[in-house]
Amino acid sequence: MKLKVITSNPGKVKEFQRSFEDMGVEMEHLHLPYDEIQTSELEEVVRKGMDEIRSKGVNDFIIDDSGLFINALKGFPGVYSAYGQKTIGNKGILRLMEGVKDRSAVFKCCIGCDIGGRTIIVTGECPGYILDSERGNEGFGYDPIFTHDNERSFAEIGVEEKNVISHRGNAVALLRERLISEGLIGPKN
Ligand code: IMP
């Protein structure tokens, strides 16, 4: 079984490959740009992206979309997380959060999988809080300002631990469960 991982980020292909190796699923990188529609829901971005990709005659693929949703900012930057990084960055988010008591936020990752004519969509979440300042040197994006345990930032915990508890790790685990329980993949041999 072969699935195309449609992304501009080769790191994601490796992550999927590692998570599905024991199922005999081969992941192949495909760079195919698609529109990310303007909506407040990751699942809608993924659903529309899948329709567009299928309309180009491509099947058996995976796409994903992630974001950080801050409750006090009514879900911002959310689906605009990549744009938020490019524009105001972590410093801008911290400025918006100055003096704000409710620091709760959630990282979400939505994965869409087209497989054997079926559509499976799962969303993994990782709840936490926005810190008062940037901390740590690892990771990327909003990692230095997000904490899941109210102690260490995502940029301080290291990639191994992050993969186990993160929104993306959870989404990949959910996708595995769904594909296995629906008989679409099974253990190698
Ligand atoms: P993507 O959809 O996975 O490319 O994520 C969109 C944007 O959300 C990224 O450009 C990052 O700014 C942010 N983001 C997603 N996942 C993470 C994460 O694990 N840590 C920090 N920022 C993230």
Side-chain angles (χ1 to χ4, degrees):
M1 153 81 56
K2 233 185 214 178
L3 287 175
K4 302 166 199 79
V5 184
I6 301 178
T7 177
S8 54
N9 178 354
K12 284 187 184 171
V13 187
K14 279 207 200 95
E15 203 173 318
F16 281 118
Q17 184 74 68
R18 220 176 306 123
S19 308
F20 286 90
E21 225 156 34
D22 60 328
M23 293 284 141
V25 182
E26 211 182 303
M27 300 289 172
E28 178 184 81
H29 188 190
L30 179 64
H31 186 68
L32 178 72
Y34 58 91
D35 279 343
E36 291 197 1
I37 57 151
Q38 305 243 312
T39 162
S40 58
E41 298 291 329
L42 288 179
E43 185 173 330
E44 213 170 329
V45 177
V46 166
R47 220 173 258 288
K48 289 281 171 10
M50 291 180 82
D51 288 346
E52 186 184 325
I53 291 163
R54 276 190 288 250
S55 77
K56 291 175 178 163
V58 178
N59 290 103
D60 295 324
F61 62 84
I62 288 178
I63 60 172
D64 79 321
D65 199 21
S66 320
L68 174 65
F69 295 74
I70 302 176
N71 291 326
L73 304 181
K74 298 190 164 52
F76 182 81
V79 296
Y80 307 107
S81 290
Y83 185 70
Q85 273 295 310
K86 265 187 262 157
T87 52
I88 63 172
N90 289 338
K91 290 194 171 43
I93 296 286
L94 290 176
R95 227 171 290 127
L96 292 175
M97 291 297 285
E98 258 169 30
V100 176
K101 281 221 171 67
D102 176 10
R103 319 241 3 136
S104 61
V106 58
F107 261 124
K108 293 186 194 179
C109 173
C110 181
I111 302 178
C113 180
D114 175 288
I115 179 167
R118 300 273 303 279
T119 298
I120 310 269
I121 296 185
V122 294
T123 301
E125 300 194 354
C126 180
Y129 304 92
I130 303 301
L131 291 160
D132 291 327
S133 58
E134 292 179 81
R135 292 218 311 249
N137 303 307
E138 292 191 58
F140 68 99
Y142 300 96
D143 283 347
I145 61 167
F146 181 85
T147 175
H148 74 293
D149 60 5
N150 234 337
E151 248 172 64
R152 301 157 303 158
S153 79
F154 259 16
E156 290 176 314
I157 61 175
V159 72
E160 298 277 314
E161 189 178 342
K162 184 181 161 191
N163 282 346
V164 176
I165 47 132
S166 80
H167 49 309
R168 197 168 294 103
N170 287 333
V172 171
L174 285 173
L175 178 63
R176 245 181 87 99
E177 274 167 32
R178 281 285 298 280
L179 294 179
I180 294 169
S181 72
E182 300 199 17
L184 294 163
I185 60 169
K188 215 163 27 175
N189 307 319

